[in-house]
Amino acid sequence: MDLKYGASREKPREDAAMQRFRSHRVGQFIHWGLYSLPAGRWEGKDVEFAAEFLPRVAKIPQQRWEALAKDFTLADFDAERWADTAVALGARYMTITTKHHDGFCLWPSAHTDFHMGNTPSGRDVLGELVAAYEARGIDVNFYYSVLDWRHPDWRFTLEDDADSLAFARYLDFAMKQLEELAERYPSVKGFWFDGTWDESVKANGWWTWEVERMLKERIPGVVVNSRLRADDFGARHVDSNGALMGDYESGYERRLPEPWDHGVAERDWEACMTIPQASWGYHQGPWAQATLKHPWDVVDMIAHCTSLGGNFLLNFGPRGDGSMAPAEVGIATKVGEWLSVNGEAIYGCGFAEGWDYPGWGYFTRSATGDVYAVVTRAPVSGRIRLQLPAGMALAGVRLLGSGEHPFKRLADSLFEMVIAGDASTGPLVFALETSALARPSSEKEPNPDVLD
Ligand code: 16Z
């Protein structure tokens, strides 16, 4: 089918900027805005819903929401400290909400008054963050919500000509804001679009195509998520011919693909994840705080994504005063300590073709072909089996952070290791040295699993 606004390619991008994004594997997502001030509590009551949805869920009048801006004083905001938490996590990139659904902008936009420049400090926190992160070698990407609850021209649906006219003005406004972001912060490495699911956006696939084109023209190498895009017929993420739009698939949100679903590895993709069960903005209530993930659960997810060729974007919700929540910093530090020992199985690694999903964790493979076993679900038996691809044998095993590790052969390409995990250091990672199976296949031992 001939599409004007479909995918621009059928295969993954292979340029240097895309390879860099792909190699990152671990990113820090940040949701910060006016919603960080009430942090899920309104008029003394906890609202058990994502904190960034508070104005909608608690039906807060627009004027009262906007009045929060005068309390956004940045009493404890320091971009350097945020960037330090990303270093502690071992993140290689960061994605920050420049504008969320409520329309509030973290940069002094010329196209609205609803921005950080009109809060007491008047600071350009986005500029401060770009500088602090990039000084540490961490790429910065921008989240931008196309959905805008505040803008008078936003429409969810287009019922008549008046709606279409208003929404055309809205799209023009959003395009100008994106041009402004590209011009003010030309070192930005990628854009993460959200709030693109409404009928109004789907009826204007041309605009999503134009946004991608504009950004790529202005920022060489910029990486754009699939969630931005709709084609001529309103098909999202994947066009009507089945080709991925944008540069990577961004549909995995608070869920990951099944670990045996190896087909996922044929595309670039990224999963984003909250630390509490379900809030992206900081939620102060016990509801969110009781559900914080354990660092080793986060490590499991990082290895899970890497094993299928995807990136993992872990969300942080800094508090209204600008400080990072200590519990989240603690989790980041633990994950980062694990990565500092085991990162060679994660950064620059991806899907290990030919290695079946092992159940006790994941196989990953580096760009140079080294295969790793990441044991996130060690069996109570204390032993794991390694089924190598046919024709391969295990020649050596090295436990990362330790040294040579014993193993024994059970059958042709099937090996077993005894492992002793330690909850304090987290999942064990083994680098596997392989060789060709020495014996000719005619001498194969009978396979006890197969009944003739
Ligand atoms: C269930 O409907 C949702 C869920 C999450 C609508 C929007 C979202 C937003 C969150 O606020 C957050 O920004 C997440 C990445 N996004 C999809």
PDB file of all heavy atoms in Angstrom, residues 2 16 25 65 90 100 104 125 146 244 287-288 296 327 355 417 450:
ATOM      1  N   ASP A   2       0.497   2.211  -0.815  1.00  0.00           N
ATOM      2  CA  ASP A   2       1.306   3.428  -0.894  1.00  0.00           C
ATOM      3  C   ASP A   2       0.930   4.379   0.242  1.00  0.00           C
ATOM      4  O   ASP A   2      -0.229   4.780   0.345  1.00  0.00           O
ATOM      5  CB  ASP A   2       1.047   4.098  -2.253  1.00  0.00           C
ATOM      6  CG  ASP A   2       2.276   4.818  -2.732  1.00  0.00           C
ATOM      7  OD1 ASP A   2       3.390   4.396  -2.359  1.00  0.00           O
ATOM      8  OD2 ASP A   2       2.117   5.814  -3.467  1.00  0.00           O
ATOM      9  N   ALA A  16      25.665   5.797  13.502  1.00  0.00           N
ATOM     10  CA  ALA A  16      26.383   5.845  14.786  1.00  0.00           C
ATOM     11  C   ALA A  16      25.481   6.306  15.937  1.00  0.00           C
ATOM     12  O   ALA A  16      25.550   5.753  17.040  1.00  0.00           O
ATOM     13  CB  ALA A  16      27.593   6.766  14.665  1.00  0.00           C
ATOM     14  N   ARG A  25      21.218   0.730  26.815  1.00  0.00           N
ATOM     15  CA  ARG A  25      20.474  -0.293  27.572  1.00  0.00           C
ATOM     16  C   ARG A  25      19.813   0.190  28.863  1.00  0.00           C
ATOM     17  O   ARG A  25      18.722  -0.240  29.190  1.00  0.00           O
ATOM     18  CB  ARG A  25      21.342  -1.540  27.873  1.00  0.00           C
ATOM     19  CG  ARG A  25      21.686  -2.345  26.638  1.00  0.00           C
ATOM     20  CD  ARG A  25      20.412  -2.876  25.962  1.00  0.00           C
ATOM     21  NE  ARG A  25      20.694  -3.612  24.737  1.00  0.00           N
ATOM     22  CZ  ARG A  25      20.136  -3.330  23.559  1.00  0.00           C
ATOM     23  NH1 ARG A  25      19.270  -2.321  23.447  1.00  0.00           N
ATOM     24  NH2 ARG A  25      20.399  -4.048  22.490  1.00  0.00           N
ATOM     25  N   TRP A  65      -4.963  24.583  39.955  1.00  0.00           N
ATOM     26  CA  TRP A  65      -3.786  23.829  39.474  1.00  0.00           C
ATOM     27  C   TRP A  65      -2.676  24.804  39.068  1.00  0.00           C
ATOM     28  O   TRP A  65      -1.516  24.641  39.439  1.00  0.00           O
ATOM     29  CB  TRP A  65      -4.162  22.916  38.308  1.00  0.00           C
ATOM     30  CG  TRP A  65      -3.049  21.955  37.984  1.00  0.00           C
ATOM     31  CD1 TRP A  65      -2.209  22.000  36.917  1.00  0.00           C
ATOM     32  CD2 TRP A  65      -2.641  20.836  38.778  1.00  0.00           C
ATOM     33  NE1 TRP A  65      -1.303  20.971  36.978  1.00  0.00           N
ATOM     34  CE2 TRP A  65      -1.541  20.235  38.118  1.00  0.00           C
ATOM     35  CE3 TRP A  65      -3.092  20.272  39.977  1.00  0.00           C
ATOM     36  CZ2 TRP A  65      -0.881  19.107  38.612  1.00  0.00           C
ATOM     37  CZ3 TRP A  65      -2.442  19.155  40.481  1.00  0.00           C
ATOM     38  CH2 TRP A  65      -1.355  18.588  39.796  1.00  0.00           C
ATOM     39  N   GLY A  90      23.974   3.983  36.946  1.00  0.00           N
ATOM     40  CA  GLY A  90      24.638   3.378  35.793  1.00  0.00           C
ATOM     41  C   GLY A  90      23.876   3.663  34.512  1.00  0.00           C
ATOM     42  O   GLY A  90      24.020   2.953  33.521  1.00  0.00           O
ATOM     43  N   HIS A 100       4.235  17.747  30.399  1.00  0.00           N
ATOM     44  CA  HIS A 100       3.348  16.580  30.568  1.00  0.00           C
ATOM     45  C   HIS A 100       1.930  16.974  30.188  1.00  0.00           C
ATOM     46  O   HIS A 100       1.706  18.055  29.635  1.00  0.00           O
ATOM     47  CB  HIS A 100       3.458  15.999  31.999  1.00  0.00           C
ATOM     48  CG  HIS A 100       3.045  14.562  32.064  1.00  0.00           C
ATOM     49  ND1 HIS A 100       1.791  14.167  32.476  1.00  0.00           N
ATOM     50  CD2 HIS A 100       3.701  13.423  31.732  1.00  0.00           C
ATOM     51  CE1 HIS A 100       1.707  12.837  32.390  1.00  0.00           C
ATOM     52  NE2 HIS A 100       2.852  12.362  31.950  1.00  0.00           N
ATOM     53  N   PHE A 104       2.217  22.127  31.606  1.00  0.00           N
ATOM     54  CA  PHE A 104       3.270  22.928  32.239  1.00  0.00           C
ATOM     55  C   PHE A 104       4.635  22.580  31.646  1.00  0.00           C
ATOM     56  O   PHE A 104       4.982  21.399  31.528  1.00  0.00           O
ATOM     57  CB  PHE A 104       3.280  22.706  33.751  1.00  0.00           C
ATOM     58  CG  PHE A 104       4.288  23.566  34.465  1.00  0.00           C
ATOM     59  CD1 PHE A 104       4.024  24.909  34.719  1.00  0.00           C
ATOM     60  CD2 PHE A 104       5.508  23.026  34.862  1.00  0.00           C
ATOM     61  CE1 PHE A 104       4.963  25.698  35.363  1.00  0.00           C
ATOM     62  CE2 PHE A 104       6.455  23.809  35.516  1.00  0.00           C
ATOM     63  CZ  PHE A 104       6.176  25.149  35.766  1.00  0.00           C
ATOM     64  N   VAL A 125      15.272  25.130  34.228  1.00  0.00           N
ATOM     65  CA  VAL A 125      15.767  23.872  34.780  1.00  0.00           C
ATOM     66  C   VAL A 125      16.138  22.882  33.674  1.00  0.00           C
ATOM     67  O   VAL A 125      17.036  22.057  33.849  1.00  0.00           O
ATOM     68  CB  VAL A 125      14.764  23.219  35.767  1.00  0.00           C
ATOM     69  CG1 VAL A 125      14.495  24.130  36.943  1.00  0.00           C
ATOM     70  CG2 VAL A 125      13.477  22.843  35.070  1.00  0.00           C
ATOM     71  N   VAL A 146       1.984  15.336  23.584  1.00  0.00           N
ATOM     72  CA  VAL A 146       1.176  16.025  22.571  1.00  0.00           C
ATOM     73  C   VAL A 146      -0.188  16.354  23.187  1.00  0.00           C
ATOM     74  O   VAL A 146      -0.682  17.474  23.050  1.00  0.00           O
ATOM     75  CB  VAL A 146       1.054  15.153  21.302  1.00  0.00           C
ATOM     76  CG1 VAL A 146       0.155  15.822  20.264  1.00  0.00           C
ATOM     77  CG2 VAL A 146       2.446  14.895  20.707  1.00  0.00           C
ATOM     78  N   LEU A 244       7.702  -0.491  11.190  1.00  0.00           N
ATOM     79  CA  LEU A 244       7.773   0.354  12.383  1.00  0.00           C
ATOM     80  C   LEU A 244       8.019   1.808  11.999  1.00  0.00           C
ATOM     81  O   LEU A 244       8.915   2.110  11.215  1.00  0.00           O
ATOM     82  CB  LEU A 244       8.916  -0.135  13.291  1.00  0.00           C
ATOM     83  CG  LEU A 244       9.079   0.634  14.605  1.00  0.00           C
ATOM     84  CD1 LEU A 244       7.938   0.308  15.561  1.00  0.00           C
ATOM     85  CD2 LEU A 244      10.424   0.307  15.247  1.00  0.00           C
ATOM     86  N   TRP A 287       0.246   4.087  49.601  1.00  0.00           N
ATOM     87  CA  TRP A 287      -0.147   3.238  48.470  1.00  0.00           C
ATOM     88  C   TRP A 287       1.014   3.045  47.501  1.00  0.00           C
ATOM     89  O   TRP A 287       1.334   1.922  47.114  1.00  0.00           O
ATOM     90  CB  TRP A 287      -1.336   3.893  47.770  1.00  0.00           C
ATOM     91  CG  TRP A 287      -1.725   3.266  46.481  1.00  0.00           C
ATOM     92  CD1 TRP A 287      -2.335   2.055  46.328  1.00  0.00           C
ATOM     93  CD2 TRP A 287      -1.548   3.815  45.176  1.00  0.00           C
ATOM     94  NE1 TRP A 287      -2.551   1.817  44.993  1.00  0.00           N
ATOM     95  CE2 TRP A 287      -2.088   2.877  44.269  1.00  0.00           C
ATOM     96  CE3 TRP A 287      -1.011   5.003  44.678  1.00  0.00           C
ATOM     97  CZ2 TRP A 287      -2.087   3.099  42.886  1.00  0.00           C
ATOM     98  CZ3 TRP A 287      -1.020   5.214  43.318  1.00  0.00           C
ATOM     99  CH2 TRP A 287      -1.548   4.272  42.433  1.00  0.00           C
ATOM    100  N   ALA A 288       1.663   4.155  47.129  1.00  0.00           N
ATOM    101  CA  ALA A 288       2.790   4.042  46.204  1.00  0.00           C
ATOM    102  C   ALA A 288       4.043   3.575  46.925  1.00  0.00           C
ATOM    103  O   ALA A 288       4.778   2.726  46.429  1.00  0.00           O
ATOM    104  CB  ALA A 288       3.049   5.389  45.524  1.00  0.00           C
ATOM    105  N   TRP A 296      16.895  -5.864  42.943  1.00  0.00           N
ATOM    106  CA  TRP A 296      17.169  -7.058  42.120  1.00  0.00           C
ATOM    107  C   TRP A 296      16.022  -7.324  41.156  1.00  0.00           C
ATOM    108  O   TRP A 296      16.217  -7.977  40.124  1.00  0.00           O
ATOM    109  CB  TRP A 296      17.467  -8.285  42.993  1.00  0.00           C
ATOM    110  CG  TRP A 296      18.573  -8.104  43.988  1.00  0.00           C
ATOM    111  CD1 TRP A 296      18.688  -8.749  45.183  1.00  0.00           C
ATOM    112  CD2 TRP A 296      19.736  -7.254  43.890  1.00  0.00           C
ATOM    113  NE1 TRP A 296      19.836  -8.344  45.840  1.00  0.00           N
ATOM    114  CE2 TRP A 296      20.491  -7.420  45.075  1.00  0.00           C
ATOM    115  CE3 TRP A 296      20.205  -6.351  42.944  1.00  0.00           C
ATOM    116  CZ2 TRP A 296      21.685  -6.739  45.328  1.00  0.00           C
ATOM    117  CZ3 TRP A 296      21.389  -5.657  43.197  1.00  0.00           C
ATOM    118  CH2 TRP A 296      22.113  -5.861  44.354  1.00  0.00           C
ATOM    119  N   ALA A 327      14.352   6.954  48.809  1.00  0.00           N
ATOM    120  CA  ALA A 327      14.152   5.527  48.525  1.00  0.00           C
ATOM    121  C   ALA A 327      14.545   5.209  47.083  1.00  0.00           C
ATOM    122  O   ALA A 327      15.124   4.155  46.797  1.00  0.00           O
ATOM    123  CB  ALA A 327      12.703   5.134  48.783  1.00  0.00           C
ATOM    124  N   TRP A 355      20.382 -19.238  21.446  1.00  0.00           N
ATOM    125  CA  TRP A 355      20.330 -19.644  22.854  1.00  0.00           C
ATOM    126  C   TRP A 355      18.888 -19.521  23.334  1.00  0.00           C
ATOM    127  O   TRP A 355      18.325 -18.428  23.377  1.00  0.00           O
ATOM    128  CB  TRP A 355      21.243 -18.756  23.701  1.00  0.00           C
ATOM    129  CG  TRP A 355      22.694 -18.878  23.345  1.00  0.00           C
ATOM    130  CD1 TRP A 355      23.286 -18.493  22.177  1.00  0.00           C
ATOM    131  CD2 TRP A 355      23.728 -19.424  24.179  1.00  0.00           C
ATOM    132  NE1 TRP A 355      24.633 -18.774  22.218  1.00  0.00           N
ATOM    133  CE2 TRP A 355      24.930 -19.350  23.438  1.00  0.00           C
ATOM    134  CE3 TRP A 355      23.760 -19.976  25.464  1.00  0.00           C
ATOM    135  CZ2 TRP A 355      26.143 -19.797  23.942  1.00  0.00           C
ATOM    136  CZ3 TRP A 355      24.965 -20.421  25.969  1.00  0.00           C
ATOM    137  CH2 TRP A 355      26.142 -20.333  25.207  1.00  0.00           C
ATOM    138  N   MET A 417      25.943 -26.215  36.247  1.00  0.00           N
ATOM    139  CA  MET A 417      26.816 -25.535  37.208  1.00  0.00           C
ATOM    140  C   MET A 417      26.112 -25.493  38.551  1.00  0.00           C
ATOM    141  O   MET A 417      24.889 -25.329  38.620  1.00  0.00           O
ATOM    142  CB  MET A 417      27.081 -24.080  36.807  1.00  0.00           C
ATOM    143  CG  MET A 417      27.659 -23.898  35.439  1.00  0.00           C
ATOM    144  SD  MET A 417      28.331 -22.234  35.231  1.00  0.00           S
ATOM    145  CE  MET A 417      26.923 -21.198  35.497  1.00  0.00           C
ATOM    146  N   VAL A 450      14.435 -38.052  24.948  1.00  0.00           N
ATOM    147  CA  VAL A 450      13.725 -38.464  23.746  1.00  0.00           C
ATOM    148  C   VAL A 450      13.435 -39.964  23.806  1.00  0.00           C
ATOM    149  O   VAL A 450      14.329 -40.775  23.943  1.00  0.00           O
ATOM    150  CB  VAL A 450      14.554 -38.139  22.472  1.00  0.00           C
ATOM    151  CG1 VAL A 450      13.826 -38.619  21.232  1.00  0.00           C
ATOM    152  CG2 VAL A 450      14.820 -36.643  22.409  1.00  0.00           C
TER     153      VAL A 450
END
